[in-house]
Amino acid sequence: MKLLEINNLKKSFDNLDVLHDISLSVEEGQVVAIIGPSGSGKSTLLRCATMLETMDSGELTYVGESAVTNNEAGKAVYADSKQLKKIQGYFGLVFQNFNLFPHYSVMKNITDAPIHIQKRDKKEVYAQARELLKKMGLEDKEDYYPCQLSGGQQQRVAIARALALNPSILFFDEPTSALDPELTGEILKVIRQLAEEKMTMVIVTHEMTFARDVADHVIFMDGGYIIEEGNPKDVIEHPKEERTRQFLARFAAK
Amino acid sequence: MSLAAILQQLATGMLATISIFVLTLFFSMPLGLLVAFGRMAKFKPLQYLMKFYISIMRGTPLMLQLMVVYYGPYYIFHIKLPAGYQFTATIIGFAINYAAYFAEIYRSGIQSIPVGQYEAAKVLGYSKVQTFGKIIFPQMVKRVLPSVTNEVITLVKDTSLAFVLAYAEMFTLAKQIAASQTSIVPLFIAGLFYYIFNLIVAGVMGYIEKRLDYYK
């Protein structure tokens, strides 16, 4: 089943075309990694998919429901707010800078939205939150505040916060870029574990080894285009396109 | 006149000063938030109107504003106002003046909240109102507290400006008694009163700041 489908997405900022005609789809249980140099448009793609940016043109569909369609003039038309609110519930997003709420404890960060937005039972939400914290190796941190945690711990809380809303698909926007190598490992381990549990994920990352090992599908972007995509082994180890080779060579040299 | 008699006369003034102080904060703090919203509105005419309002309130003397509020209705519209209007005019004058200052403080606080907080809230499904009420406002309060404390301390001293409307607050009375008794003592007592008042204000605000120290 297709959980996410993006067709012919176009986006520009002040006449600068950031995304040209991007199409991609994500199947249930699939892990998609998006790689590419800075400014290639991969974060913008993620932000358009999560509706933090509005797309200029194209179609966006979650679980068969339309969030954005094209009108006759080829301009993007967003669904009504009720529909968008429903679709918002299909996905979660983990940010590069965590964006935890500093004035809420770890527990409240995770439980506030399920209780007050999804109107779920408090007891059930707390039980789920404790389970998630245990999974993240943070079972003793529920009363802590974000400022008392390391970056890696904060990011794991952010992942738990996103998962607590039971999204069908989880996006990661460079989840380890703000972390040092040691803490990066913590986060990659958690994402790997989620992949094993068949969580559907789209991950923008600079971790090539991780992308190769965990993703089912790799997309290489540059200059607002998808240059190459496919099986991670093919794309990362035997890239066909010259541009992909150049990009990956820089990583290999490090 | 004995010290006790002076104190007794000043006591009513102290109460008047305290009520100006409390009522001004009561009205100007929420009003300031509304002005801040208007100032940040995408709707340009409202934004410019609030900018203009703030610039007038900050750019002209409070004493003059008090006089305009008090004498304006009669001189401009020939409206006869009731005898108690002095107090109402004082509160209106102070509230609209302080609202402008609070508005700018709130605005700086709101705009200092990282955009990531809004984005996280949006992705988690919070509405705009929920995002402001639950996520932005509490963090804003913490950030603006030191500047608010400054304003509140200034307000304690500014209440003495009500003397231009001959409203019988602390300072007006102290001045009258000092003149009639040819004594400096009432003025010293007034000074001591303002000082202690502000010590309490600083103490209370410091306590609130400490209470909000549990996060960064």
Side-chain angles (χ1 to χ4, degrees), chain B residues 50-96:
Chain B
M50 288 303 131
K51 248 184 175 167
F52 178 69
Y53 165 74
I54 291 168
S55 104
I56 295 293
M57 287 299 145
R58 297 203 302 182
T60 59
L62 174 54
M63 197 190 283
L64 185 147
Q65 292 165 17
L66 286 170
M67 291 170 79
V68 169
V69 172
Y70 184 56
Y71 297 111
Y74 181 73
Y75 284 135
I76 304 170
F77 304 109
H78 301 285
I79 300 169
K80 264 251 180 251
L81 286 154
Y85 182 59
Q86 262 170 339
F87 183 66
T88 315
T90 306
I91 301 302
I92 293 174
F94 274 109
I96 59 173

Side-chain angles (χ1 to χ4, degrees), chain A residues 50-66:
Chain A
T50 51
M51 301 192 281
L52 289 175
E53 296 286 353
T54 51
M55 38 205 271
D56 299 335
S57 161
E59 293 170 338
L60 176 65
T61 311
Y62 278 95
V63 205
E65 292 183 50
S66 265

Side-chain angles (χ1 to χ4, degrees), chain A residues 47 51 100 102-103 112, chain B residues 117 119 122 126 134 139 215:
Chain A
R47 292 172 60 83
M51 301 192 281
L100 291 176
H103 57 307
D112 195 69
Chain B
Q117 294 288 304
E119 292 183 345
K122 180 166 189 267
Y126 290 89
K134 301 186 82 141
Q139 296 187 59
Y215 74 90

Side-chain angles (χ1 to χ4, degrees), chain A residues 184-229:
Chain A
T184 297
E186 292 177 12
I187 300 306
L188 298 185
K189 207 178 113 197
V190 167
I191 300 175
R192 212 179 283 259
Q193 191 188 341
L194 291 172
E196 276 161 22
E197 293 166 15
K198 290 292 159 209
M199 179 77 207
T200 312
M201 294 183 281
V202 176
I203 308 163
V204 169
T205 183
H206 288 297
E207 302 288 330
M208 293 308 142
T209 330
F210 171 74
R212 187 194 60 200
D213 296 347
V214 175
D216 306 304
H217 189 83
V218 169
I219 295 173
F220 172 69
M221 284 183 72
D222 191 27
Y225 292 97
I226 293 181
I227 305 290
E228 189 167 354
E229 64 179 309

Side-chain angles (χ1 to χ4, degrees), chain B residues 13-65:
Chain B
M14 289 179 193
L15 279 178
T17 295
I18 292 169
S19 42
I20 294 173
F21 173 80
V22 170
L23 287 171
T24 299
L25 289 184
F26 179 79
F27 290 114
S28 65
M29 289 185 127
L31 185 62
L33 196 58
L34 293 181
V35 175
F37 285 147
R39 173 72 181 71
M40 292 185 293
K42 287 201 183 83
F43 183 59
K44 289 277 177 193
L46 181 61
Q47 190 190 328
Y48 290 134
L49 184 71
M50 288 303 131
K51 248 184 175 167
F52 178 69
Y53 165 74
I54 291 168
S55 104
I56 295 293
M57 287 299 145
R58 297 203 302 182
T60 59
L62 174 54
M63 197 190 283
L64 185 147
Q65 292 165 17

